[in-house]
């Protein structure tokens, strides 16, 4: 089965449960191209019974997957990486049609995904534990890392292809089996295409399962995850708003959660920075995937005496970005995911302008194609600059500063702490400032979006917790203490 239909016609998709494509002929929902609402697929509209079957399959597959020797798992991951490379063109087309991804963004995700698969292929060989000293003579204590069991993942629509791998690959690399619930906005590129690839690579039945659902049915699937004793961890990527709902439920169910949430992602451009470099880094960091990535830059703080030069350079570069149908390889800015996203950015741009902000460029849209937008002189009370709620679209606020300490304090005054960037001609100064940032990721002389497969990505504060790369061993394993005693015990009673 291929979910990428010939001649790009609409296809009908199923769940992937216990190594089988199931539910054809059952209820479906329409997945539409955000550019023109054309039908991409009729996807299976799953519910409780599908989620229960998927969890049961993952639980049954767990013992064998957890016990699989690292070399065997490694072969599977490496094969999957080769398939990702080989299917690049199809995946690029799918992401354009389903999610509005430009070729540049899709290719970026595909490269990262293949790299992460190749990294993860080796993680089975990481040290499995420690031998500890005991205060009891003749006792040996060993600590072993064990997989948790079934990990249930919520995969997002925005960086769908790469972020879905990140959601299930990390737990699987450490011996867990998984059930994925892709976002209803992009079920194909946030889960089903992965099932095809893993099936093609020969992953055992039940090790990886996908259940898709119609809009409004997410909570029903989540109910199954929270109710099932086999599900030991919920791996969620999405908004802090939904994370709070799920977090309360996880508390009641006493389930571990990994949370990859949003960010406000400031960039500090210091007075000695190379402005041309800063312009390039900010254009990429703010407008990749039309600002719909958790690590997109939302606000730039620029030394006042470099402000005009920076804004002029940025405006010229941003206005040259081609906006349109993302199947055109020249297009950088494709459509926003839905009408809600267009309404959100539009309202916030208008709110800022009404309060006296200067619109440098953008601020208009044709359908869901929103032109990249830059605002300066934004009053602090404007919604888009308070940093309390990320604007998930192509909107960048620029603020001039006189005192770098005030700018650093302001940049950190948001509830988020995902990524930050500092552009400077003085790496020592950049590092000093970086050390003071309360964020999961700080880049000196690189965009806020400088992801690499092997590096730990994750946030602090309302941006969540959990880290990618091999650091995910902390999230997806637990520590087992085993002791063995040589001598008879001595007891107080
Ligand atoms: P969202 O929170 O609306 O939805 C995320 C997921 O939660 C979807 O799968 C949805 O079906 C599910 N969901 C929604 N309501 C639910 C409920 N009541 N019960 C159970 N499940 C529910 O987020 P979104 O708009 O799809 O994604 C955008 C957000 O994700 C942004 O905030 C972005 O910053 C964040 N994000 C973070 C990262 C990261 O790595 N830190 C990556 C991508 C996106």
């Amino acid at each position: 089965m291929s979910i990428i239909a010939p001649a790009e016609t609409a296809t009908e998709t199923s769940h992937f449960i216990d190594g089988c494509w199931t539910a054809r002929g059952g209820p479906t929902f329409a997945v539409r191209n955000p550019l023109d609402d054309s039908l991409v697929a009729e996807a299976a509209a799953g519910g409780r019974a599908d989620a229960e079957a998927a969890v049961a399959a993952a639980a049954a597959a767990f013992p064998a997957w957890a016990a699989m020797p690292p070399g065997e798992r490694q072969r599977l991951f490496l094969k999957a990486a080769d398939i990702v490379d080989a299917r690049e063109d199809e995946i690029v087309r799918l992401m354009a049609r389903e999610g509005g991804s430009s070729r540049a963004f899709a290719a970026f995700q595909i490269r990262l995904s293949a790299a992460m698969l190749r990294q993860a292929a080796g993680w089975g060989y990481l040290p499995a534990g420690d031998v500890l000293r005991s205060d009891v003579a003749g006792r040996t204590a060993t600590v072993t890392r064990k997989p948790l069991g079934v990990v249930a993942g919520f995969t997002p629509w925005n960086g769908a292809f790469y972020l879905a791998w990140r959601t299930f690959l990390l737990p699987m690399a450490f011996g867990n089996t998984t059930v994925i619930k892709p976002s209803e906005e992009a079920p194909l590129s946030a889960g089903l295409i992965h099932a095809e690839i893993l099936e093609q690579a020969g992953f055992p039945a039940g090790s990886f399962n996908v259940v898709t659902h119609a809009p409004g049915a997410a909570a029903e699937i989540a109910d199954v995850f929270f109710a099932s004793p086999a599900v030991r961890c919920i791996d969620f990527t999405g908004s802090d708003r939904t994370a709070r709902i799920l977090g309360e439920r996880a508390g009641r169910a006493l389930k571990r959660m990994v949370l990859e949430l949003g960010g406000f992602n400031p960039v500090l451009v210091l007075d000695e920075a190379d402005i041309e470099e800063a312009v390039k880094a900010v254009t990429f960091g703010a407008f990749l995937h039309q600002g719909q990535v958790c690590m997109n830059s939302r606000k730039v703080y620029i030394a006042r005496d470099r402000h005009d030069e920076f804004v002029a350079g940025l405006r010229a570069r941003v206005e040259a970005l081609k906006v349109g149908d993302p199947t055109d390889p020249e297009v950088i800015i494709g459509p926003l995911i839905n009408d809600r996203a267009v309404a959100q950015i539009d309202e916030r741009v208008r709110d800022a302008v009404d309060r006296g902000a200067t619109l440098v460029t953008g601020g208009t849209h044709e359908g869901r194609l929103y032109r990249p937008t830059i605002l300066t002189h934004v009053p602090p009370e404007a919604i888009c600059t308070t940093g309390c709620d990320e604007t998930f679209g192509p909107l960048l606020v620029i603020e001039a500063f006189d005192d770098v300490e005030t700018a650093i304090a302001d940049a950190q005054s948001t509830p988020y702490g995902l990524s930050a960037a500092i552009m400077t001609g003085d790496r020592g100064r950049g590092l000093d400032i970086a050390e003071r940032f309360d964020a999961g990721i700080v880049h000196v002389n690189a965009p806020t979006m400088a992801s690499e497969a092997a590096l730990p990505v994750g946030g602090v504060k309302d941006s969540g917790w959990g880290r990618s790369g091999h650091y995910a061993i902390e999230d997806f394993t637990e520590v087992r203490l085993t002791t063995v005693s040589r001598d008879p015990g001595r007891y107080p009673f």
Side-chain angles (χ1 to χ4, degrees):
M1 175 213 179
S2 174
I3 57 172
I4 302 165
E8 317 292 44
T9 51
T11 185
E12 187 183 327
T13 67
S14 324
H15 310 302
F16 185 69
I17 299 174
D18 206 12
C20 299
W21 295 95
T22 60
R24 270 180 195 265
T28 62
F29 68 103
V31 180
R32 296 193 179 277
N33 184 330
L35 182 72
D36 56 11
D37 282 331
S38 59
L39 191 65
V40 174
E42 285 289 349
R48 176 176 294 277
D50 305 297
E52 284 171 351
V55 169
F62 172 66
W65 179 255
M68 186 182 271
E72 266 181 59
R73 242 188 252 149
Q74 183 173 52
R75 269 194 299 280
L76 292 171
F77 284 134
L78 293 177
K79 188 145 186 228
D82 291 343
I83 297 169
V84 168
D85 285 341
R87 294 184 65 175
E88 169 161 352
D89 285 346
E90 293 171 74
I91 299 167
V92 165
R93 286 201 302 278
L94 174 67
M95 281 194 276
R97 289 169 66 220
E98 191 187 32
S101 292
S102 64
R103 172 169 276 279
F105 184 48
F108 176 76
Q109 288 185 60
I110 291 166
R111 268 198 306 279
L112 274 179
S113 302
M116 191 197 276
L117 276 157
R118 293 190 172 105
Q119 293 282 334
W123 294 342
Y125 290 107
L126 288 174
D130 303 295
V131 179
L132 303 183
R133 303 238 178 253
S134 165
D135 276 335
V136 177
R139 175 179 287 173
T140 310
T142 55
V143 166
T144 329
R145 285 204 173 266
K146 299 275 185 194
L148 306 174
V150 177
V151 174
F154 290 60
T155 56
W157 53 266
N158 57 344
F161 187 67
Y162 173 63
L163 294 173
W165 285 113
R166 195 185 65 184
T167 303
F168 65 81
L169 187 63
L170 306 180
M172 287 183 78
F174 296 115
N176 303 278
T177 53
T178 50
V179 177
I180 296 303
K181 183 212 85 54
S183 164
E184 55 275 44
E185 301 278 6
L188 283 72
S189 29
L192 292 174
I193 184 75
H194 306 77
E196 271 191 12
I197 292 166
L198 296 194
E199 183 186 34
Q200 209 180 334
F203 276 64
S207 58
F208 174 73
N209 305 272
V210 186
V211 176
T212 58
H213 67 86
E220 189 182 329
I221 310 278
D223 282 349
V224 174
F225 296 160
F226 285 113
S228 168
V231 174
R232 301 288 292 276
C233 175
I234 310 278
D235 185 0
F236 175 80
T237 300
S239 65
D240 54 303
R241 179 180 24 82
T242 308
R244 283 174 217 281
I245 298 170
L246 298 180
E248 282 179 18
R249 303 198 56 194
R252 283 200 296 276
L254 293 180
K255 291 216 192 285
R256 187 188 281 221
M257 277 197 102
V258 175
L259 297 174
E260 295 291 352
L261 312 179
F264 201 67
N265 313 318
V267 183
L268 230 62
V269 183
L270 303 183
D271 49 3
E272 76 289 337
D274 176 336
I275 291 297
E276 209 182 314
E277 269 304 301
V279 162
K280 287 184 195 163
V282 169
T283 305
F284 177 82
F287 297 112
L288 184 69
H289 198 40
Q290 44 278 12
Q292 298 176 115
V293 185
C294 52
M295 285 186 285
N296 280 128
S297 318
R298 305 289 175 204
K299 190 165 178 179
V300 174
Y301 297 84
I302 170 109
R304 190 172 302 280
D305 57 350
R306 311 298 301 278
H307 174 272
D308 293 353
E309 180 191 354
F310 175 74
V311 172
L314 191 66
R315 177 184 179 163
R317 195 169 176 92
V318 166
E319 288 184 347
L321 300 177
K322 189 168 177 188
V323 181
D325 180 347
T327 56
D328 172 352
E330 309 266 290
V331 161
I332 299 296
I333 306 290
L336 295 184
I337 191 71
N338 54 33
D339 292 334
R340 275 196 319 283
V342 176
Q344 185 204 53
I345 182 169
D346 215 28
E347 186 194 334
R348 290 180 182 193
V349 170
R350 266 191 269 132
D351 165 77
V353 171
D354 288 350
R355 291 174 196 268
T358 306
L359 182 64
V360 175
T361 187
T364 59
H365 64 102
E366 267 176 55
R368 297 188 192 113
L369 290 170
Y370 205 97
R371 283 177 56 217
T373 301
I374 300 173
L375 293 170
T376 58
H377 306 96
V378 181
E381 62 280 9
I383 309 165
C384 65
T385 194
T386 58
C388 290
D389 180 15
E390 58 183 338
T391 303
F392 216 53
L395 173 60
L396 181 70
V397 170
I398 299 176
E399 187 165 308
F401 68 80
D402 298 305
D403 167 28
V404 73
E405 292 303 323
T406 313
I408 294 169
D410 193 68
Q412 305 208 66
S413 64
T414 81
Y416 297 109
L418 185 54
S419 182
I422 300 155
M423 301 301 295
T424 172
D426 177 344
R427 282 187 289 169
R429 190 179 175 206
L431 209 51
D432 280 348
I433 295 175
E435 280 170 7
R436 293 160 53 197
F437 257 87
D438 198 7
I441 308 156
V442 188
H443 297 291
V444 177
N445 291 338
T448 53
M449 296 257 342
S451 275
E452 284 184 52
L455 305 183
V457 166
V460 299
K461 303 197 287 182
D462 287 4
S463 294
W465 57 77
R467 292 293 180 273
S468 59
H470 72 271
Y471 291 86
I473 197 169
E474 301 291 340
D475 300 317
F476 298 117
T477 61
E478 56 204 357
V479 158
R480 159 85 52 83
L481 169 66
T482 310
T483 70
V484 182
S485 296
R486 182 193 59 202
D487 303 329
R490 280 199 261 154
Y491 306 101
F493 58 87

